[in-house]
Amino acid sequence: MKLAVVGGGSTYTPELIDGFARMRDILPIEELWLVDTDPDRLRLVGGMSERMFRAAGHTGRIVPTSDLVAGVSDADAVLIQLRVGGQAARHGDETFPHECGCIGQETTGPGGFAKALRTVPVVLRVAETVRAHAKPDAWIVDFTNPVGIVTRALLQEGHRAVGLCNVAIGFQRRFANLLGVDHTAITLGHVGLNHLTWERAAFVTDANGTHDALPALIDTHLGELAEEIELPASLITMLGNVPSYYLRYYYAHDEVLREQLGSPTRAEAVQEVERALLELYADPSVDTKPDALAKRGGAFYSEAAVDLIASLRSDRRDTQVVNLRNNGSLPFLPDDHVIEVPAIVGASGVEALPIDPLPDDIRGLISHVAGYERLALDAAVHGGRERVVRAMMAHPLVGQYDRAEKLTDLLIAGNRDHLAWAQ
C-alpha cells in the first residue's frame, strides 16, 4: 500500500516511522511519501526515516516531496499532521489570551480557536487534492488539532475522514500498567469531544469474562491518577470517573493561568526540543528513534495511527477511540457534530458503540463547547470579524462580550497573514 503523511517534515514523524517499522505485519507499507513545504526539515526527517526503515529491516520505500499532488496520488490513506504557522504561531496562541485573563493553549480556548481559523482552510485544500488524486476509497486520517473541528470540516465537505487523538490510547496504556494486564485487554468507556473527554469505565477482558476495573482503579490508585491529570483526588472521587488532562483548563482555569503567567510557553520548550531533534536527525549514524523524542509529545501516536489505518484497510472490526459523526450517539448534540468515543473500525468506516446517558454536568459542558465548535467552524470556513466574536463569546472559557471583542482583535492582529478575509 501507499501511505502519504502531509506535514511529513514534522519532528513527530520518526515516532510514526518507528511504529510503521515495528508493526509492518499489520500495516504492509510499500511506499511512504512524506509531504512538506519546508525543504530543510524534509531532507533531515526524510533521511532519518529512511535510516530507521533500513535499520529495522523494512523494505518499504520512503519518498520525501514538496509536491502534494505527487505525494497523495494513488495513495491508499493520507495522514494529515499540519501545524500552520509553526511554533511561532503556537507561541502566539499560548500568550495573546493572557491579555484578557484567559488561558493560552493551542487546542482549546481562544488559542485553540486561532489555530482552527488558520488550519481549517489549509486542510480543506489538502483534502480536495486528496479527493482528486488519491485512490477513490482512500481514507484521510486527521491528527491535526483542533481535531474535532478539523474532522467535522472534512466530513462536512464529504471527505472520507476520521479524526485521531492519542489521549485515549495513553489512558489505555496507563490503566493497563496499573492493573498489570496487557493493554489489548482493556476497552475504555471514553466519551466527549476531542480534548474534552472523560474515562467512565475500563473494561478488562480475561478468562473470567469482562468487568469494569475503573472503580477499583480509583480506589487503589487515586493519588497516582490525580497526579497524572493534575487535578484534585476529591474531584475524581466526586465524578466517579477520570477526566482527561485537558479538563484541567476548565476545572482549574485560574490555577493554570497563574502557572502560565510565570512560566515559558510550551511552544518555547518545544522549539528547544525540536532544535535538538533536528541535530540528531542530521547525524547519519542515528537510525533509531531518539529518547529525546519523548519530550516532543504525542506518546503512542504511532500505535494509534497504525491500528486505525490497518483496521480501515483490512476490515479488522476492532474497537478504537476515534473522532466521528455523532449520528445520535449523544442525543443532545446534532447528528453532524463530531464526538470522540469508542467505535468499531472496519473497511466500511467507523461506527460508535452505544453510550450510557451522561450526568447533567458533563452533558452541559459538552453541549456548551459543542456550540462554540459549530460557530468556530462557521468562522473558519466563511471568515468575518462578527463570526469570530460570536464564536469567541460562546466559548465557556471566555463568555463575556467585551472580552470576546478584545480577544478577537488580538487574534486577528496576530494571524492576519493566515486569514485571507482579514488581509
Side-chain angles (χ1 to χ4, degrees), residues 12 74 102 164 168 171 174 177 183 195 226 238 252 272 289 315 320 338 351 355 363 386 409:
Y12 262 138
D74 295 319
C102 295
L164 180 64
F171 270 119
R174 292 181 193 107
N177 184 57
H183 68 271
H195 289 184
M238 182 187 75
E272 290 299 317
K289 183 178 72 171
D315 202 30
Q320 300 180 41
V338 166
E351 181 181 353
I355 300 169
R363 184 172 66 244
E386 184 174 303
D409 290 338

Side-chain angles (χ1 to χ4, degrees), residues 17 55 157 306 412:
I17 301 299
E157 295 301 316
V306 169
I412 292 172

Side-chain angles (χ1 to χ4, degrees), residues 39-79:
D40 292 331
R41 279 183 173 241
L42 199 57
R43 174 177 54 81
L44 294 174
V45 174
M48 177 67 179
S49 300
E50 175 70 24
R51 295 194 301 273
M52 290 177 69
F53 258 24
R54 298 294 84 82
H58 198 298
T59 59
R61 175 180 173 227
I62 290 181
V63 186
T65 183
S66 59
D67 186 337
L68 177 62
V69 171
V72 304
S73 289
D74 295 319
D76 295 278
V78 177
L79 196 154

Side-chain angles (χ1 to χ4, degrees), residues 51-197:
R51 295 194 301 273
M52 290 177 69
F53 258 24
R54 298 294 84 82
H58 198 298
T59 59
R61 175 180 173 227
I62 290 181
V63 186
T65 183
S66 59
D67 186 337
L68 177 62
V69 171
V72 304
S73 289
D74 295 319
D76 295 278
V78 177
L79 196 154
I80 302 179
Q81 56 173 30
L82 296 174
R83 182 180 294 281
V84 179
Q87 296 298 330
R90 177 179 183 170
H91 178 73
D93 296 344
E94 294 175 336
T95 53
F96 85 83
H98 293 165
E99 296 190 37
C100 299
C102 295
I103 59 152
Q105 215 281 324
E106 66 153 345
T107 63
T108 193
F113 185 21
K115 192 173 196 300
L117 291 174
R118 292 193 305 270
T119 304
V120 166
V122 175
V123 169
L124 289 179
R125 289 196 295 271
V126 169
E128 285 301 319
T129 303
V130 173
R131 190 187 335 244
H133 297 281
K135 289 182 178 176
D137 62 347
W139 280 95
I140 293 176
V141 176
D142 172 52
F143 195 70
T144 297
N145 283 318
V147 168
I149 293 174
V150 173
T151 302
R152 182 165 172 260
L154 290 164
L155 294 173
Q156 185 171 269
E157 295 301 316
H159 297 289
R160 201 168 194 231
V162 60
L164 180 64
C165 179
N166 66 329
V167 167
I169 197 171
F171 270 119
Q172 182 194 42
R173 298 314 201 266
R174 292 181 193 107
F175 290 170
N177 184 57
L178 292 174
L179 291 167
V181 301
D182 190 270
H183 68 271
T184 59
I186 294 182
T187 301
L188 298 175
H190 179 103
V191 67
L193 309 175
N194 180 242
H195 289 184
L196 191 86
T197 52

Side-chain angles (χ1 to χ4, degrees), residues 20-60:
F20 292 156
R22 285 186 290 105
M23 294 180 276
R24 55 185 176 272
D25 290 342
I26 66 170
L27 193 66
I29 297 172
E30 295 168 299
E31 293 185 20
L32 177 60
W33 289 61
L34 306 179
V35 184
D36 207 283
T37 57
D38 187 323
D40 292 331
R41 279 183 173 241
L42 199 57
R43 174 177 54 81
L44 294 174
V45 174
M48 177 67 179
S49 300
E50 175 70 24
R51 295 194 301 273
M52 290 177 69
F53 258 24
R54 298 294 84 82
H58 198 298
T59 59

Side-chain angles (χ1 to χ4, degrees), residues 158-407:
H159 297 289
R160 201 168 194 231
V162 60
L164 180 64
C165 179
N166 66 329
V167 167
I169 197 171
F171 270 119
Q172 182 194 42
R173 298 314 201 266
R174 292 181 193 107
F175 290 170
N177 184 57
L178 292 174
L179 291 167
V181 301
D182 190 270
H183 68 271
T184 59
I186 294 182
T187 301
L188 298 175
H190 179 103
V191 67
L193 309 175
N194 180 242
H195 289 184
L196 191 86
T197 52
W198 295 259
E199 305 305 331
R200 303 173 72 207
F203 297 109
V204 177
T205 301
D206 55 26
N208 299 316
T210 299
H211 67 283
D212 181 9
L214 188 62
L217 265 178
I218 291 175
D219 285 344
T220 57
H221 297 282
L222 180 60
E224 293 166 82
L225 294 171
E227 183 178 358
E228 178 71 29
I229 62 174
E230 297 185 43
L231 284 168
S234 57
L235 174 62
I236 296 176
T237 302
M238 182 187 75
L239 293 173
N241 62 50
V242 182
S244 81
Y245 172 87
Y246 288 92
L247 265 299
R248 191 167 185 255
Y249 298 120
Y250 297 83
Y251 292 153
H253 176 278
D254 293 353
E255 179 184 355
V256 173
L257 179 60
R258 286 193 297 271
E259 292 171 0
Q260 289 184 346
L261 293 175
S263 306
T265 65
R266 174 63 179 160
E268 290 171 314
V270 169
Q271 283 176 323
E272 290 299 317
V273 172
E274 287 193 329
R275 275 193 281 271
L277 285 173
L278 290 171
E279 287 182 8
L280 286 172
Y281 298 166
D283 184 343
S285 68
V286 177
D287 59 9
T288 58
K289 183 178 72 171
D291 292 339
L293 188 54
K295 299 178 182 178
R296 178 64 180 81
F300 308 115
Y301 165 37
S302 60
E303 282 88 345
V306 169
D307 277 341
L308 179 55
I309 297 169
S311 294
L312 290 170
R313 295 298 305 170
S314 62
D315 202 30
R316 292 194 299 179
R317 297 195 61 76
D318 56 350
T319 299
Q320 300 180 41
V321 174
V322 296
N323 283 258
L324 75 171
R325 276 176 57 98
N326 179 39
N327 285 343
S329 294
L330 297 179
F332 54 89
L333 293 182
D335 282 350
D336 69 343
H337 206 77
V338 166
I339 61 175
E340 186 173 291
V341 296
I344 300 297
V345 183
S348 61
V350 290
E351 181 181 353
L353 294 176
I355 300 169
D356 289 337
L358 299 175
D360 288 344
D361 54 345
I362 292 178
R363 184 172 66 244
L365 184 52
I366 290 174
S367 297
H368 197 163
V369 175
Y372 148 75
E373 288 185 340
R374 298 179 74 80
L375 292 167
L377 180 54
D378 183 56
V381 171
H382 300 291
R385 183 180 182 277
E386 184 174 303
R387 288 189 179 91
V388 176
V389 171
R390 187 170 182 177
M392 190 76 79
M393 186 171 64
H395 200 293
L397 299 183
V398 178
Q400 301 175 50
Y401 177 64
D402 58 345
R403 178 183 286 174
E405 281 213 305
K406 183 175 180 181
L407 284 165

